[in-house]
Amino acid sequence: MNILDSKGRLFGKISVLDLGAALVIVFVIIGIFFFPGQTGSVAQVGVTTKPVEVDLIVRGLSVRDPQALLEEFREKGQTNIIIRNQPHGAVDVKSIELLTKTLAVPQPDGSVKALPDPRQEESFSSNLMITLGGRAQITENGPVLGNNKLKIGTPVELEGLTYNFNASVIDVRIK
């Protein structure tokens, strides 16, 4: 009895191609489960993680009741952020304040005073200063939050249960 017949079968029963495919599958499974290699990506090696605080400014946010929005931020204590269309997840809201809107009004003596803006159309437009806190990877190029560099001028999207708006980073402090 021949080991290999004219149709390429071992002992007349098993195709050589089928046997080769089965061996490849077995070796792949053994390689995955018994020799998984290093965990994590190469980019993560040697990177330290430190707490950071980020100040954001929001200008001209159209909101009917800004105090209710501030209260929502304070009650929840966290917000979800999206940096360059990449969701990062929840970060802590350290502080939030409503910035007063003023106008420069010339006085009869030639001086200028900053007075509250009396225009009705500006009553639904708010400016906010928000401080967020979280942990970021510190690389040689600066802090990285959610696989994105976080630097002054970076646009950040804030998202919660009843809001979704953009802000701009104005300060980054590494603790």
Side-chain angles (χ1 to χ4, degrees), residues 17-34:
L17 294 176
D18 291 341
L19 181 65
L23 286 175
V24 167
I25 291 172
V26 167
F27 287 139
V28 167
I29 290 172
I30 290 172
I32 290 173
F33 291 113
F34 294 110

Side-chain angles (χ1 to χ4, degrees), residues 4-174:
L4 196 60
D5 67 3
S6 63
K7 294 183 180 178
R9 294 182 291 189
L10 290 173
F11 304 111
K13 296 184 180 194
I14 301 172
S15 170
V16 174
L17 294 176
D18 291 341
L19 181 65
L23 286 175
V24 167
I25 291 172
V26 167
F27 287 139
V28 167
I29 290 172
I30 290 172
I32 290 173
F33 291 113
F34 294 110
F35 303 104
Q38 293 180 337
T39 59
S41 69
V42 175
Q44 305 287 329
V45 175
V47 176
T48 60
T49 302
K50 292 185 178 178
V52 294
E53 284 188 356
V54 179
D55 289 334
L56 306 174
I57 187 122
V58 181
R59 294 186 184 177
L61 179 63
S62 299
V63 59
R64 181 180 183 99
D65 187 2
Q67 293 302 328
L69 179 64
L70 295 180
E71 197 57 38
E72 181 178 345
F73 271 105
R74 289 184 182 122
E75 283 178 10
K76 179 95 170 160
Q78 288 190 327
T79 186
N80 293 316
I81 64 169
I82 301 166
I83 305 168
R84 294 188 185 106
N85 293 326
Q86 299 296 316
H88 167 65
V91 293
D92 296 330
V93 177
K94 299 284 188 179
S95 69
I96 183 167
E97 75 177 273
L98 186 62
L99 303 176
T100 58
K101 293 178 124 187
T102 58
L103 290 175
V105 179
Q107 300 300 304
D109 64 354
S111 64
V112 177
K113 278 189 179 179
L115 297 174
D117 192 349
R119 297 177 293 176
Q120 179 66 28
E121 66 270 12
E122 290 297 317
S123 64
F124 296 114
S125 178
S126 300
N127 295 335
L128 303 171
M129 170 86 110
I130 304 170
T131 301
L132 303 177
R135 295 191 62 81
Q137 297 172 352
I138 309 303
T139 65
E140 62 185 27
N141 294 326
V144 176
L145 194 64
N147 295 328
N148 286 300
K149 294 178 199 169
L150 196 60
K151 297 183 178 191
I152 294 172
T154 302
V156 175
E157 188 176 341
L158 300 169
E159 183 177 34
L161 185 63
T162 61
Y163 60 87
N164 185 334
F165 57 86
N166 293 324
S168 182
V169 176
I170 59 171
D171 192 19
V172 178
R173 292 180 300 283
I174 301 170

